[in-house]
Amino acid sequence: MRERYLKKTALVIALVAFAFPYFVDLRWKFAIGTVLFFAFLKLALGKSWRKDAGLKIPKRQAWLVLGLTGTLFLISRALIPHLLIGNPIAFVWHEDWVWRASPFLQVLNEEIVLRALLLGFLAKQIRSERAISWGAALLFMLLHWLFYRYNVKGPAFLSPLTLLNLFIFGLVCNSLYLKTRHIGFGFALHAGWNLTRFGGVYYLDKQLVAEGITFNSIEGSLWLTALMAVFYAGVNRKT
């Protein structure tokens, strides 16, 4: 009983460590949060922590994940400036390498919590994988809406198209996890995008623009949403 209580306590602390970087303005916030998150997550999950966290990736697939992450990063580097053509918002790479590397840790933590842990928990309660995937994708979309709607750095209203894109993106990552039972390919897609998307800052008339305001210009793109829908259909294509 005592061990069970300690594991639950460790899991709560791990989730607090996961959320911590989103509410502070520190240079090393994701590094600090990640170290604490992994330390307490390992205590909470015990010997099976790598499997439960979706980190048990076959070696051949692990190399593929690395290659995909790099490839998608290069694609996003070309794609994001293209999406801003004709838009007064300008993208500039951040000079601080810690800032530019932070999305890597951010995505790693998000994929563990919102994919492996959440889907693993839901799978014990619900039999339908489709219901599990759609429910988790709705939560992924809702968390983005809440975070940017009430962001102290500049609240933003995410458009219906932006929310749809986030929902489909969540479905894609959920499907990849449910097919492989690891976060590798979802991480590659998520990190490949975020390393560019949040590796810089955005300006409007030489003034910094709040992160949330840029979502409707980038994630709210009609053809990007359509592309994500096609990708989702491809991931779920029956062979």
Side-chain angles (χ1 to χ4, degrees), residues 40-210:
F40 284 99
L41 186 67
K42 190 173 180 180
L43 287 174
L45 300 180
K47 293 181 180 179
S48 65
W49 79 276
R50 283 185 61 230
K51 180 182 177 183
D52 293 341
L55 296 171
K56 206 163 185 180
I57 307 172
K59 186 176 290 187
R60 184 175 296 180
Q61 291 186 20
W63 285 110
L64 183 57
V65 165
L66 287 174
L68 282 172
T69 304
T71 301
L72 291 168
F73 169 62
L74 294 175
I75 291 173
S76 68
R77 285 192 65 161
L79 186 57
I80 289 174
H82 179 77
L83 291 171
L84 291 172
I85 291 176
N87 193 302
I89 296 175
F91 172 80
V92 179
W93 283 104
H94 206 289
E95 295 179 357
D96 186 352
W97 67 270
V98 174
W99 179 289
R100 291 178 64 172
S102 290
F104 183 92
L105 298 177
Q106 176 192 6
V107 169
L108 177 62
N109 297 343
E110 285 187 3
E111 288 301 312
I112 290 173
V113 173
L114 298 177
R115 234 63 68 187
L117 298 184
L118 178 60
L119 294 176
F121 171 77
L122 291 176
K124 295 176 181 177
Q125 320 299 323
I126 305 169
R127 290 185 179 182
S128 170
E129 285 195 350
R130 177 173 292 183
I132 291 169
S133 181
W134 281 57
L138 280 170
L139 179 61
F140 181 77
M141 178 192 75
L142 179 62
L143 288 173
H144 279 80
W145 181 82
L146 287 171
F147 181 74
Y148 290 111
R149 173 65 183 85
Y150 299 102
N151 196 303
V152 293
K153 291 185 178 181
F157 290 92
L158 301 187
S159 72
L161 194 57
T162 300
L163 293 173
L164 177 61
N165 194 356
L166 289 166
F167 174 69
I168 299 173
F169 183 87
L171 286 178
V172 171
C173 291
N174 293 342
S175 297
L176 290 168
Y177 174 80
L178 290 170
K179 284 178 178 293
T180 63
R181 298 295 167 173
H182 64 69
I183 66 169
F185 295 115
F187 170 84
L189 178 63
H190 202 166
W193 178 258
N194 277 24
L195 281 168
T196 296
R197 180 69 173 86
F198 303 112
V201 290
Y202 297 83
Y203 288 94
L204 177 61
D205 296 329
K206 298 182 180 180
Q207 297 293 321
L208 275 174
V209 177

